[in-house]
Amino acid sequence: MIITDQIVEKHGLSKEEFKNIKKLLKRDPNLLELGVFSAMWNEHCSYKSSRLHLKNLPTKGKQVIQGPGENAGVIDIGDDDAIVFKIESHNHPSYIEPYQGAATGVGGILRDVFTMGARPIALLNSIHFGSPKHSKTKSLLNGVVSGIGGYGNCIGIPTVAGETKFNETYNENILVNAMAVGHAKKDKIFYSKAKGLNKSVVYVGSKTGRDGIHGASMASAEFDENSESKKPTVQVGDPFTEKLLMEACLELMKDNSIISIQDMGAAGLTSSSVEMASKGGLGIELELDKVPCREENMSPYEMMLSESQERMLIILEDGKEQNAKKIFDKWDLDFVVIGKTTNTNNLTLKYENQIVGEIPVEALASKAPIYDRKWIKKKTKKNSFNFKKLKKIKIEDALIKILSSPNHSSKNWITDQYDQSVMCDTVLKSGSDAAIIRIHNKDKAIAVSVDSSANYCKSHPITGGKQIVCENWRNLITVGAKPLAITNCLNFGNPENQEIMGEFAECLQGIKEACEFLNYPVVSGNVSFYNGTNKKNIYPTPVIGGVGLIKKLSKPLSHHFKKDKSSLILIGKTFGHLDQSCFLKENYSINEGLPPEVNLLNEKNNGESLLKLINKNLILSSHDISNGGLITALSEMSISSGIGAKILKPKKLTNLIEYFFGEDQARYIVEVEDNSIGKVEKILKENNIFFENIGFTQNEFLEIEGELKISTKDLFKINNEWYNKY
């Protein structure tokens, strides 16, 4: 078959890239080889536009066992315990086919975790949809939520935290990011690096079908009006089979059989075999006749590019094949030796006793393109409106508008569809700043949270990048956890657009600065480019997933008010920053200006000081202040507990709207018993922390002295009515 320019283009390769392929091969590729190059050289697999920037992120720390480059990151939490975690995107598939796209996103991230030898203990997600008024939003929302719940519930792993946001920027390109967290023993971590010659390469799991072919390539291109035609590229998941696969793999991992293991995710058999070989500096020979297929007459091209789910590739020690097969037979899964490791440094593909493809492994991996794309620094604009000229609004009316909006209303109608308690170790569920998961049979726990802030990143990418790391860090702090490490999912538009690439570069700069200052390394992640349709790109949306450690789980700390007549302290200084705020967005449809400044010194000092207070059992409840400002945070604490609060008027800041709705960073509300006030204030003063005594809790009503009085029952009703009307 002659490879034409049209065929090259259909494979997502440029003319220049095709020239490089011919140079590396010293000949023209056949169609199978072109398909393999297409799979490995696309943006999704090669990170060709992002690698140069990702190298700058801090990835090391005392607690880091494995950073980026493996299936998932691994951190040390003491007592020979390790936490394995990662977040990935499944954006394009979920827009095309919401249920299966979201479901297989969950399945894929779970395999990344148990491939490392960890039993998954928690799932999280960050999902972004277009305007609720958009014609597609409702069906996409229902499909995605059902897919996430359907897969997680069936496999029996709790979905414990997440976020759901709406913005017209996602009208034609939704975001579905899935995160998985697992627990393993430090000395039982498994890696994908191939070792040894003539070792058996084993295919395990489900059979290969024609679903998902070119899925990774599809995820590396913009949508257009023909996006519906890409449905065949979406994988189809089976959580029950994945459960069997997980148990079989974890059982096999109990002995010393496995040399390396890699799940067949994006680019399927191609990426798994190439990644194992390239990391080990070896070759791999595959006999494609032996690949278990669920459809007749599948070609080598289809086998290599299929992204059928619930499959693994394993390299075994000599003589371990029979015992391993018994395990997989017991779990009713395919187990077939389909190849061997070689010293050729080639990916050699055989079919019907003939070599049908042969490619140097380094040509697919280390010699994949790396682009230093041109980018433009973001031109930032100060606010173009005069706040004093805006129509005056009462605090109560503004608060009601925020609490009843799609973005800030209760998401119980989503989280109630997820099993949050299966496995019986979920201590604090969705709706809190972070979820808490107990380490099974131990008196310690981890806290997990996912966060994003696209409007901040759009208006000032560096500040937005810093802010979202800090917000995630604060969310772990408020539940009493020491933040240890993050994973990130970087969702952006077309990197060939210099402005988009500038947003990416500057967001990463902000993430880097915050992570370095807070000693909060990046141990895994994913980049998702080309999120857009017909040249309309999404807002830059980096999502941060954080993990923290609670060494002694005496009683979980939450943001729920605990009792009547306890004191409320505001930690951190309030300046009244309203630009890019929820107040302006929800009440005036204004989305202008710069985000609030991020002072990393204050973030670290305020957060670490609060953690000291929590560890000394001086805090009843705590909540970070973010979107919607102080009054929104107080409302959330009241709604979740049924206990209200009486807030005194501020003595210095006279503009009450700015005081109560400003989104200044590095701030927390803490609830303190009266007999602990002296101790709390002493520690805060010793650490040079700005704080204010702002009031006290009370029964039934949230009240601002002389300005607002609303019952907690009404707050609950207001906060829960949006979806019922939708």
Side-chain angles (χ1 to χ4, degrees):
M1 183 180 188
I2 298 172
I3 306 297
T4 63
D5 289 348
Q6 290 77 16
I7 292 173
V8 171
E9 186 179 354
K10 281 185 177 180
H11 282 76
L13 296 164
S14 69
K15 290 181 180 178
E16 188 61 35
E17 287 171 342
F18 185 58
K19 285 181 183 177
N20 289 337
I21 289 170
K22 292 195 286 186
K23 284 181 182 178
L24 289 166
L25 290 177
K26 299 178 181 177
R27 57 178 173 80
D28 286 357
N30 60 36
L31 185 62
L32 170 60
E33 293 167 333
L34 184 73
V36 170
F37 271 105
S38 168
M40 294 305 301
W41 280 22
N42 63 55
E43 197 73 59
H44 191 80
C45 293
S46 73
Y47 293 88
K48 57 189 177 186
S49 298
S50 58
R51 254 192 288 177
L52 289 175
H53 298 274
L54 295 173
K55 288 179 180 178
N56 297 322
L57 292 174
T59 59
K60 296 180 180 179
K62 289 182 180 180
Q63 69 277 26
V64 178
I65 297 173
Q66 175 64 53
E70 269 292 340
N71 287 293
V74 187
I75 56 174
D76 187 347
I77 61 167
D79 307 314
D80 295 322
D81 291 315
I83 294 297
V84 180
F85 64 106
K86 189 182 183 183
I87 189 170
E88 277 200 340
S89 62
H90 229 222
N91 303 335
H92 286 57
S94 299
Y95 181 75
I96 295 169
E97 215 301 304
Y99 185 95
Q100 290 295 348
T104 52
V106 173
I109 200 65
L110 283 171
R111 289 195 301 280
D112 281 340
V113 167
F114 71 76
T115 299
M116 301 288 293
R119 179 170 290 280
I121 58 175
L123 287 164
L124 302 87
N125 56 75
S126 172
I127 51 181
H128 292 68
F129 299 92
S131 166
K133 296 177 182 178
H134 192 269
S135 59
K136 292 183 180 179
T137 297
K138 186 179 288 188
S139 64
L140 289 168
L141 174 64
N142 290 332
V144 166
V145 171
S146 296
I148 292 170
Y151 206 99
N153 295 352
C154 289
I155 199 171
I157 297 165
T159 301
V160 298
E163 59 174 7
T164 303
K165 295 185 176 182
F166 301 89
N167 189 293
E168 53 272 14
T169 187
Y170 310 108
N171 279 350
E172 304 296 335
N173 198 120
I174 64 173
L175 301 183
V176 177
N177 293 181
M179 177 176 169
V181 183
H183 171 240
K185 290 297 180 182
K186 275 179 18 181
D187 61 349
K188 279 291 188 179
I189 304 297
F190 290 81
Y191 300 95
S192 58
K193 181 179 178 180
K195 297 177 183 177
L197 295 178
N198 294 311
K199 304 296 183 182
S200 295
V201 177
V202 185
Y203 174 119
V204 300
S206 288
K207 289 180 169 45
T208 296
R210 290 188 170 96
D211 55 317
I213 294 173
H214 288 301
S217 299
M218 177 270 291
S220 305
E222 280 187 332
F223 282 151
D224 55 29
E225 62 276 359
N226 297 315
S227 61
E228 289 293 316
S229 66
K230 297 178 180 179
K231 276 193 176 183
T233 64
V234 179
Q235 311 92 329
V236 178
D238 180 356
F240 300 105
T241 300
E242 178 125 333
K243 171 67 172 173
L244 300 177
L245 180 63
M246 178 176 71
E247 297 299 340
C249 288
L250 292 175
E251 184 175 342
L252 182 61
M253 288 168 173
K254 290 178 181 178
D255 64 21
N256 296 316
S257 298
I258 297 175
I259 296 173
S260 66
I261 180 169
Q262 176 72 44
D263 88 292
M264 296 190 212
L269 187 53
T270 291
S271 63
S272 56
S273 56
V274 170
E275 287 172 17
M276 294 169 95
S278 65
K279 290 173 183 176
L282 297 172
I284 279 185
E285 180 180 292
L286 300 178
E287 296 182 59
L288 299 179
D289 309 75
K290 297 180 179 179
V291 172
C293 295
R294 66 169 180 259
E295 299 183 49
E296 293 182 359
N297 301 317
M298 287 190 67
S299 68
Y301 181 98
E302 292 170 324
M303 294 178 203
M304 290 301 295
L305 298 186
S306 168
E307 294 183 9
S308 294
Q309 298 291 284
E310 296 88 37
R311 303 179 299 158
M312 293 280 188
L313 206 61
I314 302 175
I315 297 176
L316 290 175
E317 293 283 6
D318 293 337
K320 299 289 186 176
E321 295 88 352
Q322 206 56 39
N323 181 59
K325 188 175 186 306
K326 285 180 182 178
I327 292 172
F328 282 88
D329 285 348
K330 182 182 78 173
W331 292 101
D332 198 24
L333 295 165
D334 281 298
F335 178 101
V336 183
V337 177
I338 64 167
K340 62 182 180 181
T341 58
T342 70
N343 63 359
T344 63
N345 295 110
N346 290 336
L347 175 67
T348 304
L349 305 175
K350 289 186 171 180
Y351 186 70
E352 295 180 347
N353 295 318
Q354 293 185 9
I355 295 176
V356 292
E358 189 154 30
I359 306 171
V361 170
E362 65 176 7
L364 297 167
S366 62
K367 292 189 177 180
I370 299 177
Y371 295 133
D372 186 6
R373 296 198 184 274
K374 293 181 179 179
W375 58 275
I376 300 172
K377 188 176 177 64
K378 179 77 174 182
K379 293 180 181 178
T380 55
K381 296 180 181 178
K382 292 185 178 180
N383 59 314
S384 58
F385 66 92
N386 186 338
F387 178 69
K388 293 180 180 178
K389 291 184 178 180
L390 294 177
K391 185 179 178 182
K392 289 187 178 179
I393 187 171
K394 293 181 179 178
I395 291 176
E396 182 174 340
D397 293 339
L399 178 62
I400 290 172
K401 199 83 177 240
I402 291 172
L403 292 179
S404 61
S405 69
N407 278 317
H408 298 90
S409 65
S410 170
K411 300 301 186 297
N412 288 343
W413 54 273
I414 290 177
T415 57
D416 287 349
Q417 297 181 56
Y418 305 150
D419 191 336
Q420 301 184 63
S421 301
V422 65
M423 301 179 76
C424 301
D425 285 317
T426 306
V427 178
L428 194 60
K429 302 177 184 179
S430 294
S432 301
D433 289 326
I436 298 176
I437 313 297
R438 182 185 289 104
I439 302 302
H440 196 64
N441 289 331
K442 295 191 177 182
D443 191 25
K444 68 177 178 182
I446 58 167
V448 290
S449 180
V450 291
D451 300 278
S452 64
S453 187
N455 62 312
Y456 284 4
C457 292
K458 182 66 178 177
S459 62
H460 196 278
I462 293 178
T463 301
K466 289 181 191 176
Q467 188 275 337
I468 200 57
V469 172
C470 292
E471 182 172 344
N472 184 266
W473 195 78
R474 291 196 300 269
N475 283 336
L476 300 181
I477 294 275
T478 59
V479 299
K482 180 184 179 182
L484 294 182
I486 70 167
T487 181
N488 57 34
C489 195
L490 307 172
N491 307 278
F492 288 79
N494 190 335
E496 298 164 48
N497 180 314
Q498 293 185 22
E499 291 183 5
I500 301 296
M501 198 63 209
E503 292 172 348
F504 178 80
E506 292 193 289
C507 274
L508 253 67
Q509 178 64 29
I511 291 171
K512 171 182 178 291
E513 290 179 19
C515 287
E516 285 180 341
F517 199 91
L518 299 174
N519 189 26
Y520 203 25
V522 182
V523 298
S524 60
N526 168 238
V527 178
S528 177
F529 277 134
Y530 296 97
N531 289 291
T533 299
N534 293 326
K535 310 299 181 184
K536 293 181 180 178
N537 293 286
I538 65 164
Y539 278 5
T541 313
V543 176
I544 302 296
V547 176
L549 176 64
I550 302 172
K551 286 186 178 181
K552 189 78 172 174
L553 188 65
S554 52
K555 60 179 180 179
L557 192 69
S558 69
H559 73 290
H560 317 316
F561 285 141
K562 299 302 185 296
K563 58 189 294 186
D564 182 24
K565 296 180 181 179
S566 47
S567 295
L568 297 175
I569 295 176
L570 171 60
I571 295 175
K573 199 161 188 178
T574 300
F575 299 96
H577 187 100
L578 286 177
D579 292 5
Q580 292 295 330
S581 68
C582 294
F583 170 80
L584 290 178
K585 173 72 173 175
E586 301 299 346
N587 289 283
Y588 298 97
S589 299
I590 292 173
N591 193 26
E592 297 176 7
L594 300 178
E597 179 188 351
V598 175
N599 185 312
L600 293 173
L601 182 62
N602 287 346
E603 288 284 2
K604 189 172 186 179
N605 198 21
N606 293 2
E608 289 182 345
S609 299
L610 174 56
L611 197 55
K612 287 179 185 176
L613 297 174
I614 294 170
N615 289 335
K616 291 180 180 291
N617 295 314
L618 297 173
I619 303 298
L620 291 174
S621 66
S622 64
H623 192 21
D624 84 305
I625 300 172
S626 54
N627 293 342
L630 172 61
I631 190 62
T632 303
L634 287 164
S635 298
E636 290 166 349
M637 298 174 87
S638 293
I639 291 167
S640 63
S641 63
I643 300 171
K646 185 168 183 177
I647 308 302
L648 308 174
K649 281 188 180 180
K651 294 177 181 178
K652 293 183 180 180
L653 197 63
T654 56
N655 189 312
L656 295 181
I657 292 292
E658 290 178 344
Y659 182 82
F660 284 106
F661 292 97
E663 296 182 4
D664 308 290
Q665 301 292 290
R667 295 186 300 156
Y668 305 84
I669 303 167
V670 295
E671 179 188 6
V672 184
E673 286 190 284
D674 284 348
N675 60 8
S676 298
I677 283 286
K679 294 177 183 177
V680 170
E681 290 184 348
K682 183 174 182 288
I683 291 172
L684 292 174
K685 286 175 182 177
E686 287 174 350
N687 288 278
N688 295 314
I689 305 296
F690 181 91
F691 68 94
E692 299 175 80
N693 292 285
I694 63 170
F696 51 88
T697 58
Q698 64 177 16
N699 286 324
E700 295 187 29
F701 291 95
L702 176 63
E703 183 177 357
I704 298 174
E705 187 180 31
E707 294 290 334
L708 166 74
K709 189 173 184 179
I710 186 168
S711 74
T712 56
K713 289 181 180 178
D714 286 340
L715 283 174
F716 181 88
K717 184 179 178 183
I718 291 163
N719 194 229
N720 280 271
E721 65 182 0
W722 175 76
Y723 186 70
N724 293 328
K725 292 179 178 179
Y726 186 49

